[in-house]
Amino acid sequence: MRLSDAIEEFIKELWMPDEPEVELKRNELAEYFRCAPSQINYVLSTRFTPDHGYAIESRRGGGGFIRIIRVQRGRRESFRYLLQDRVGEAISARDAQILCLQLAEQGTISLEDAELMNAALKPQSQAVPIPEQMKDTIRAKTLKNMLLSILRRAQQQ
Amino acid sequence: MRLSDAIEEFIKELWMPDEPEVELKRNELAEYFRCAPSQINYVLSTRFTPDHGYAIESRRGGGGFIRIIRVQRGRRESFRYLLQDRVGEAISARDAQILCLQLAEQGTISLEDAELMNAALKPQSQAVPIPEQMKDTIRAKTLKNMLLSILRRAQQQ
DNA sequence: CTGATTATGGTCAAAGATGGTCAACATCTT
DNA sequence: AAGATGTTGACCATCTTTGACCATAATCAG
């Protein structure tokens, strides 16, 4: 079995039932698997992405950590389509706006959230001289992270 | 847990209800936590700054003290200060996160909004190869637009 | 009074403790 | 063989902790 797969599995077994998150030490994990610490980052960036229903937070320095937050299994599945197909790797401001409004109309998210997301996604928020393609990529990532946040919020209630 | 976090928590528990300020002795605190006195300054300068909503007064010499004051701002005032002074033309992900959390703590915005904004502002939302400076600029614009959106929402009600 | 002594708090730089990024190299799939 | 996926290591960024040295206020001895 590949190292990456083993690490992925190991991490997934760290969760207690119903716990929304686990915390780990990069160096400890790397030592446990006798691999380069950056290998952990590789696993995280390929298997614990928003598309997979996970969000990551971390801190450097003494007492540093990596925290992985997940949404419920069922929701993970149901949002796969939304995140991967509907948003994808890049999305225009226009398409993003349409998506937000549509989600609000169908009651998936609140109108307030839709407008807040829209504010973050509109062109003025990215008024800097970089290629449009970059902007669409950033927008997609931003949108996914926001949707994930809303999803996580819903699960806590 | 980090020493700094423990000290931060300890200090925050010193507040009596409705008291706007708390007073402490640097050396006593340091002795209590068995750390270098300058550690206290570190905690103060990283967790009780104006950006965190605190002001500090102190006096040296016999009978010296450190006084920590919670600053209170009205909602409107708070927003204007944020948009004009605090966010500015560029802001790091960490500073943006501190800002969001502080706004939620002081009740200016809801915790949900804070987390949603945070999701949009975290580094993963901008994981593309462009200069950090660009990212900080985009983040500032994004944050301002989101704050404006919340402000507008509030005004309609 | 005044100068010395004592009691505080402040600054800053160095060292330690983590995690992040990126590009080269390796291995697996097709 | 070519492209996708996985692995590593060098170098970077950030956060924490400590200690040496500095500044200021109160008190005490003469």
Side-chain angles (χ1 to χ4, degrees):
Chain A
M1 192 190 226
R2 277 188 223 84
L3 218 202
S4 291
D5 292 337
I7 296 175
E8 174 187 6
E9 211 168 276
F10 182 89
I11 291 178
K12 285 182 172 166
E13 279 166 5
L14 252 36
W15 262 286
M16 301 308 266
D18 298 325
E19 270 297 310
E21 58 188 54
V22 295
E23 215 168 281
L24 48 86
K25 298 278 206 174
R26 190 179 78 146
N27 289 346
E28 278 181 14
L29 236 200
E31 185 153 355
Y32 179 79
F33 283 97
R34 288 201 203 86
C35 64
S38 57
Q39 178 74 22
I40 308 301
N41 295 86
Y42 177 72
V43 174
L44 294 179
S45 66
T46 55
R47 292 145 157 86
F48 293 89
T49 67
D51 283 355
H52 292 107
Y54 297 91
I56 307 252
E57 288 170 5
S58 68
R59 254 179 77 184
R60 310 184 188 191
F65 62 83
I66 296 177
R67 181 156 44 220
I68 311 174
I69 302 135
R70 69 175 177 186
V71 300
Q72 290 165 356
R73 183 191 300 274
R75 292 173 176 280
R76 251 184 344 247
E77 299 307 318
S78 61
F79 265 67
R80 214 184 173 87
Y81 160 75
L82 185 58
L83 295 186
Q84 287 183 11
D85 299 347
R86 214 50 214 288
V87 181
E89 294 305 307
I91 190 171
S92 69
R94 180 141 178 68
D95 287 348
Q97 183 177 35
I98 290 172
L99 178 56
C100 288
L101 288 178
Q102 190 188 330
L103 287 176
E105 269 170 26
Q106 71 189 39
T108 309
I109 65 176
S110 72
L111 188 58
E112 285 77 22
D113 285 340
E115 280 173 354
L116 187 49
M117 290 202 288
N118 222 248
L121 301 169
K122 62 186 191 179
Q124 292 95 318
S125 291
Q126 297 180 308
V128 295
I130 59 173
E132 284 304 311
Q133 165 204 354
M134 288 283 173
K135 296 184 183 179
D136 289 351
T137 303
I138 292 175
R139 200 173 358 250
K141 291 178 187 296
T142 304
L143 178 48
K144 284 179 182 177
N145 279 319
M146 287 194 293
L147 285 173
L148 200 59
S149 171
I150 291 177
L151 202 53
R152 208 164 24 107
R153 178 204 304 170
Q155 125 188 347
Q156 285 166 349
Q157 291 159 359
Chain B
M1 193 194 222
R2 286 183 213 83
L3 219 202
S4 292
D5 290 341
I7 296 175
E8 173 187 7
E9 212 169 274
F10 183 88
I11 291 177
K12 284 183 172 166
E13 279 168 5
L14 289 178
W15 260 284
M16 299 314 253
D18 298 325
E19 273 295 312
E21 60 187 53
V22 91
E23 212 169 284
L24 49 86
K25 298 278 207 175
R26 190 178 79 146
N27 289 345
E28 277 182 16
L29 236 198
E31 185 152 355
Y32 179 80
F33 282 98
R34 286 197 207 91
C35 65
S38 57
Q39 178 76 25
I40 308 302
N41 295 87
Y42 175 72
V43 173
L44 295 179
S45 67
T46 55
R47 292 147 160 84
F48 293 90
T49 69
D51 280 1
H52 287 89
Y54 297 92
I56 301 218
E57 289 170 3
S58 69
R59 218 164 77 199
R60 311 184 188 193
F65 61 84
I66 296 176
R67 183 157 39 217
I68 310 174
I69 304 142
R70 262 202 280 248
V71 303
Q72 289 292 346
R73 278 202 191 81
R75 192 185 161 89
R76 282 191 92 76
E77 195 189 352
S78 187
F79 269 96
R80 201 186 47 224
Y81 159 72
L82 285 173
L83 294 173
Q84 290 177 4
D85 307 330
R86 177 124 175 239
V87 180
E89 296 306 309
I91 189 170
S92 70
R94 185 101 177 88
D95 286 348
Q97 182 182 38
I98 288 172
L99 193 155
C100 290
L101 288 178
Q102 191 216 326
L103 285 179
E105 253 178 49
Q106 73 186 37
T108 308
I109 66 176
S110 71
L111 187 59
E112 286 77 20
D113 285 341
E115 279 173 355
L116 184 51
M117 291 202 288
N118 206 234
L121 302 169
K122 65 200 286 191
Q124 288 97 325
S125 290
Q126 297 181 309
V128 294
I130 60 172
E132 287 301 313
Q133 167 201 353
M134 288 283 174
K135 296 184 183 178
D136 289 352
T137 303
I138 292 175
R139 198 170 2 248
K141 290 179 188 296
T142 304
L143 176 48
K144 283 184 195 170
N145 278 325
M146 288 194 292
L147 285 172
L148 284 172
S149 171
I150 292 177
L151 190 57
R152 226 177 297 125
R153 179 207 300 169
Q155 281 170 347
Q156 285 168 352
Q157 290 162 359

